[in-house]
Amino acid sequence: MPSTKLHGSFGTLRCVDLPAAAGAALPRLPWCLRVLLENVLRQPEAEAARAAILGWLERGRSEAEIPFAPRRILMHDTTCGPALTDIAAMRDALAEAGGDPARLVPSVPVATSVDHSIAVDFAGSPDALARNMAREMERNAERYRFMKWAAQAVPGFHVFPPGTGIMHTINLERLAEVVSIERRSGEDWAVPDTLVGTDSHTPMVNGIGVLGWGVGGIEAEGVMFGVPVTLRVPEVIGVRLSGALPPGVLATDLALTVTERLRRLGVSGEFVEFFGPGIGTLTAGARAVVANMAPEYGATTGCFPVDAQTLDYLRATGRSDQQLALVEAYTRAHGLWHEPAEEPRYTEVLEIDLAALRPSVAGPKRPQDRLDTAQVPAVLKAPATGGVVPGDAVAIAAITSCTNTSDLGLLIAAGLVARAARQRGMTVPSWVKTSFTPGSPAAARRLARAGLLEDLETLGFAIAGHGCATCIGNSGPLLPAMRAAMAAEPGMRPVAVLSGNRNFPGRVHADLDLALLASPPLVVAFALAGRGGLDVAREALGHDAEGREVRLADLWPDAETVQELAERAADPADIAPAYGTAEASGPWAALEAPGGTRFPWNPASTYLRRPPFVTLDAPTVPSGRLATHPLLVLGDDVTTDHISPAGAIPPDSEAGRWLVERGEDPRDLNVYASRRGNWEVMLRGLFTNRSLVNHLCPGAPAGHTVFAPTGELLPAWRAAAAYAEAGLPLVLLAGERYGTGSSRDWAAKGARLLGLTAVLANSFERIHRSNLIGMGVLPLILPDGWRPDALGLTAQDRIEMDLSAALSAPRAAVPVTLHRAATGETRQGIATVQADTARELSLLAEGGIIPAILRRALAGTDSTGEGSGR
């Protein structure tokens, strides 16, 4: 490995000599592959990995595998909860097998933010934040005590308590270093900051040049405990940006356009990298908005290289002069600084002229369905109602999510629209639930300094929490006027408008199937209008105090005013005290947590239960021919929200009844996301989204299926148990993009608990595919021409698979025969194993990541990253 030294105000540091290692090939590599090259050069078998990355240049693609050693892991409370439950159970399993549970220690630092549990129970008033946080602590005290146990018992595990913000904003403002210093063999080395996170929007930090992507909680557990990470040298789609955004067009509009264009291109798991002269016109905050939506445009990650805008952001968020000097010196010396004239080699290139973009929204059911504002009325047609509340009423208007609240310019623009509306005496209609949940606790200080916080509060956009809230479905109850109108007018088409990243039916609120994604200032505009089905840019939003019509043009600020106020509002000194105050939470400090290496499970708990899949004896992929029954047959775009819900638990659901039987209050069962440490609840919630159709029984209630031996209609989890008792193997069939959406590991853990041998789909989203492998469930691409919703399957039909060679090589062929029970007819085809690397095949052979970790620990393999090259 060639190395050199770097000198500056930061001292003298050793570093991998990338120019020497890559030679003339370095400027031809995408910047993200340059970071991967540096990473592999610090690991065993570096030369083979170096040759694989440089060999990629020939065709812009490669079948070669490379190792990846991220410096750190980022988690949030509802993904770390299941992971910690697994860790506590693994420590028990180790002790029971004669091992030392204290050996199970993360090999890399793990940072967890408590951001996914706050709900907007109260909104529209300045006291909403305090009331919602108090309610959050009441609901989740048991889970939070568990996290405090982990922070004490698991070295390297750090928790940011409730109120400290959203994980991706914390990462941008506090954790990310861009270039880090680590101690290796007695010397200090400068290395690029890299990470994986248990949330699909982890790529947001790529907006400041830090390479990271989302993984499932199961894969993250492997990274924690030294299970090697491998990936194919990724295909990289280059997005060349030229020009500059015109007046009135914001970072959100760019993100929605990128999402539309890349989904149309068919991106599915590739890396995406932005380059070209247009990059320099975008602030790091704007870049982060675009990078955040990488999962929505189908990418593993969306990358921006480092440049002067990166340094400006680091300076504005309080990083030291020494850190800024290190970032600039290192990236310039090693080819990681953006040179606008460079045009690296890409697998494919997409051109976007920033000057041609228009104000946009996306929806009403998918984030890739971008709309010009003039197209919205045709898409959101609604019947007239007999009351005051219109048929296309805006039920929720939420400035929410890290996606658009981490960019100060977008918040300033929203505040200026609110100020202009307030000055004209405008108000929000009584049926619109308004809320503001920024990702950073510093947002209030900055907006107050700009004089805009009171304007937002007056329109109902008071800060209701520092967490994901409405973006992930924790939107709380609709307002009484809206609920009454929906009850009186069943044909209404109410809509949510939010500055988030996803709008799948039922995600934002269980009673809302329609949602528009929009920039924060457009959220304010839609709130004022009270209707979703209007051209918000041209139609009247309402009337001022004098009865005159007011249009968006009357309220919209010019770009110069936004920039001027943003510069005035930002103070680098805000960050440390804002986060310090949030972290000094009295209720969090008062929580008592148990001690000890092993967690003391409470058998009566409805939040935390030792999971049955944490065992050395996990089932593995069988060999030979296997005849299976279909448990469920699903269509296209089944999201992880459809598979494993996150929102409120209805008292009349299978999970709700289980909880009520154990003494829980049926009026407040909390949300599924809060109970991911209880496998009993999560099992009963699987596939219960009301918009999901099981083609084995299309008219059946959500989450039900047919038990083939008797023809009974049963909840899926009960049917699965009956199949297991009868010794009958199971598979699930689905259409395109199965598992799109969140990195929800319970979508794969549920597959294991249901006893599925395989999931056969027309295509998989990347993280869910990896999670299935991590749980030992075989992902298969269906044979050409096999569309699950058109096969006409019955529960009595059988899917026979020849698995003899399934684990022989990545993407192995698996012969499949469909046996029709009614006619005796058969149909044959070739399925393809969706495992990309030999390591993934090894995990399937071991029964998944958890048995692999346990065997390493029992064998005495040090879980401090042996062989990782860290």
Side-chain angles (χ1 to χ4, degrees):
M1 172 185 63
S3 68
T4 184
K5 288 190 175 181
L6 190 69
H7 307 278
S9 60
F10 42 80
T12 297
L13 302 170
R14 176 76 63 183
C15 46
V16 172
D17 191 341
L18 267 182
L26 188 63
R28 296 179 59 220
L29 282 172
W31 281 275
C32 59
L33 291 192
R34 300 178 202 184
V35 175
L36 285 179
L37 176 60
E38 190 281 339
N39 191 278
V40 302
L41 288 172
R42 289 183 281 114
Q43 299 185 57
E45 302 179 14
E47 186 52 39
R50 170 186 172 277
I53 292 175
L54 296 181
W56 177 94
L57 284 167
E58 183 178 344
R59 296 187 305 118
R61 48 177 46 89
S62 174
E63 296 299 315
E65 298 176 21
I66 58 171
F68 176 60
R71 289 200 71 252
R72 54 195 177 91
I73 296 171
L74 189 65
M75 307 185 86
H76 59 70
D77 52 305
T78 61
T79 51
C80 95
L84 290 177
T85 305
D86 293 349
I87 291 168
M90 282 192 281
R91 285 188 165 186
D92 288 344
L94 277 177
E96 291 159 4
D100 180 3
R103 290 187 61 83
L104 208 62
V105 174
S107 59
V108 293
V110 182
T112 293
S113 66
V114 184
D115 60 16
H116 268 56
S117 294
I118 192 161
V120 188
D121 293 305
F122 306 99
S125 60
D127 66 349
L129 173 62
R131 296 174 74 188
N132 285 328
M133 287 192 66
R135 196 76 189 87
E136 176 188 6
M137 292 299 293
E138 290 170 15
R139 285 182 175 134
N140 299 288
E142 183 180 356
R143 291 173 52 234
Y144 292 172
R145 280 193 290 268
F146 182 46
M147 293 174 69
K148 286 192 75 171
W149 165 80
Q152 300 163 13
V154 182
F157 182 84
H158 179 80
V159 177
F160 291 94
T164 48
I166 300 174
M167 61 187 292
H168 307 304
T169 309
I170 295 172
N171 201 16
L172 282 167
E173 294 187 344
R174 298 195 67 192
L175 299 179
E177 297 174 314
V178 185
V179 177
S180 303
I181 298 174
E182 62 179 40
R183 192 77 175 166
R184 297 168 53 84
S185 304
E187 282 189 285
D188 287 334
W189 284 65
V191 300
D193 187 9
T194 56
L195 74 151
V196 293
T198 58
D199 186 276
S200 55
H201 295 104
T202 299
M204 188 170 197
V205 76
N206 284 272
I208 60 171
V210 176
L211 183 60
W213 59 84
V215 298
I218 304 158
E219 189 173 353
E221 290 175 33
V223 176
M224 277 186 216
F225 299 114
V227 175
V229 179
T230 60
L231 66 155
R232 279 191 308 118
V233 182
E235 297 175 11
V236 184
I237 307 298
V239 179
R240 187 179 188 276
L241 302 178
S242 60
L245 295 175
V249 176
L250 305 175
T252 311
D253 305 309
L254 172 58
L256 297 180
T257 301
V258 167
T259 301
E260 175 193 39
R261 296 279 300 278
L262 287 174
R263 277 294 187 183
R264 190 186 301 160
L265 190 67
V267 169
S268 180
E270 296 91 343
F271 281 28
V272 167
E273 183 169 281
F274 299 88
F275 72 106
I279 282 186
T281 68
L282 299 174
T283 66
R287 297 174 190 180
V289 175
V290 178
N292 176 283
M293 291 193 70
E296 280 66 53
Y297 46 79
T300 292
T301 194
C303 309
F304 285 87
V306 175
D307 67 0
Q309 294 278 15
T310 312
L311 299 181
D312 288 347
Y313 181 86
L314 295 176
R315 187 176 297 109
T317 48
R319 268 63 167 213
S320 68
D321 290 341
Q322 182 175 304
Q323 183 65 25
L324 267 68
L326 171 60
V327 169
E328 182 169 9
Y330 178 85
T331 55
R332 285 188 181 276
H334 294 281
L336 300 179
W337 183 270
H338 180 238
E339 299 294 345
E342 280 189 11
E343 301 250 339
R345 164 81 152 101
Y346 291 105
T347 308
E348 195 168 350
V349 172
L350 175 70
E351 300 264 357
I352 294 181
D353 178 6
L354 298 177
L357 268 56
R358 301 180 296 276
S360 304
V361 298
K365 295 186 177 182
R366 301 190 307 176
Q368 63 262 44
D369 296 331
R370 190 199 64 82
L371 301 167
D372 289 345
T373 57
Q375 295 174 295
V376 173
V379 173
L380 287 180
K381 289 179 181 176
T385 64
V388 176
V389 181
D392 59 351
V394 172
I396 290 172
I399 302 175
T400 183
S401 172
C402 54
T403 308
N404 288 293
T405 68
S406 300
D407 181 3
L408 181 58
L410 291 174
L411 296 185
I412 295 292
L416 286 168
V417 171
R419 171 183 288 175
R422 181 188 180 196
Q423 288 172 344
R424 289 171 177 262
M426 299 180 74
T427 58
V428 172
S430 62
W431 58 84
V432 182
K433 181 175 184 177
T434 52
S435 63
F436 178 26
T437 52
S440 170
R445 294 170 183 245
R446 292 168 168 175
L447 287 168
R449 187 176 294 115
L452 297 173
L453 189 61
E454 186 178 333
D455 295 308
L456 286 164
E457 290 175 345
T458 300
L459 288 192
F461 290 97
I463 293 177
H466 296 295
C468 303
T470 299
C471 186
I472 59 164
N474 291 351
S475 50
L478 300 178
L479 295 184
M482 190 72 245
R483 293 201 304 270
M486 291 172 67
E489 301 279 355
M492 283 184 67
R493 302 187 75 207
V495 61
V497 183
L498 67 155
S499 62
N501 44 52
R502 290 185 180 139
N503 52 354
F504 308 130
R507 176 182 170 89
V508 175
H509 191 283
D511 294 332
L512 302 178
D513 287 338
L514 306 175
L516 294 177
L517 305 181
S519 65
L522 283 187
V523 171
V524 176
F526 274 105
L528 290 165
R531 292 178 49 223
L534 82 164
D535 180 351
V536 72
R538 293 171 180 82
E539 295 184 47
L541 304 180
H543 296 81
D544 63 15
E546 306 299 322
R548 294 171 298 206
E549 286 189 343
V550 179
R551 287 175 165 75
L552 187 61
D554 301 320
L555 308 177
W556 196 264
D558 59 70
E560 292 75 17
T561 302
V562 172
Q563 182 176 347
E564 178 188 335
L565 263 183
E567 290 173 357
R568 187 193 312 169
D571 183 344
D574 284 338
I575 300 296
Y579 280 98
T581 299
E583 287 191 53
S585 162
W588 176 263
L591 274 180
E592 294 184 359
T597 303
R598 294 173 65 181
F599 181 72
W601 304 97
N602 176 2
S605 173
T606 60
Y607 278 95
L608 300 168
R609 296 217 163 191
R610 182 174 170 178
F613 48 74
V614 177
T615 173
L616 281 161
D617 302 320
T620 59
V621 176
S623 179
R625 304 187 77 85
L626 185 71
T628 67
H629 283 280
L631 179 66
L632 296 161
V633 177
L634 309 172
D636 293 341
D637 294 305
V638 174
T639 72
T640 51
D641 285 282
H642 290 115
I643 302 168
S644 180
I649 302 173
D652 59 348
S653 65
E654 291 284 313
R657 283 191 287 270
W658 187 90
L659 289 167
V660 172
E661 287 168 3
R662 283 152 184 80
E664 294 288 338
D665 183 353
R667 296 167 298 178
D668 189 0
L669 297 176
N670 213 333
V671 294
Y672 280 103
S674 71
R675 296 192 185 268
R676 288 180 183 159
N678 183 341
W679 65 272
E680 297 269 19
V681 170
M682 301 311 295
L683 173 66
R684 287 161 172 79
L686 292 169
F687 299 100
T688 54
N689 186 293
R690 63 191 181 96
S691 67
L692 199 62
V693 175
N694 177 11
H695 293 282
L696 294 177
C697 45
H704 282 63
T705 195
V706 176
F707 179 51
T710 65
E712 290 177 271
L713 188 66
L714 296 173
W717 72 273
R718 289 187 183 276
Y723 277 115
E725 189 174 349
L728 298 173
L730 293 171
V731 294
L732 180 148
L733 279 73
E736 298 286 357
R737 297 170 293 278
Y738 182 71
T740 189
S742 302
S743 64
R744 200 158 297 167
D745 57 353
W746 257 107
K749 288 177 174 175
R752 167 54 69 208
L753 284 178
L754 290 173
L756 299 180
T757 298
V759 174
L760 296 92
N762 293 122
S763 67
F764 292 87
E765 286 292 285
R766 176 187 61 87
I767 294 178
H768 184 60
R769 180 202 66 87
S770 297
N771 276 341
L772 288 171
I773 291 171
M775 289 306 297
V777 178
L778 183 66
L780 292 171
I781 294 294
L782 281 161
D784 289 344
W786 288 36
R787 293 279 307 159
D789 53 0
L791 285 173
L793 291 175
T794 70
Q796 289 75 24
D797 294 336
R798 288 176 297 119
I799 309 292
E800 184 179 359
M801 303 175 292
D802 184 352
L803 301 172
S804 304
L807 304 186
S808 61
R811 301 183 200 139
V814 172
V816 177
T817 303
L818 167 59
H819 296 271
R820 303 277 189 188
T823 65
E825 295 175 342
T826 61
R827 179 176 178 179
Q828 296 181 328
I830 300 296
T832 306
V833 174
Q834 276 296 96
D836 288 341
T837 67
R839 181 60 197 160
E840 289 182 338
L841 294 174
S842 173
L843 287 175
L844 287 167
E846 288 193 74
I849 281 177
I850 289 172
I853 293 171
L854 289 172
R855 291 188 184 103
R856 282 171 62 90
L858 275 175
T861 305
D862 190 355
S863 68
T864 57
E866 179 208 30
S868 71
R870 294 184 181 92

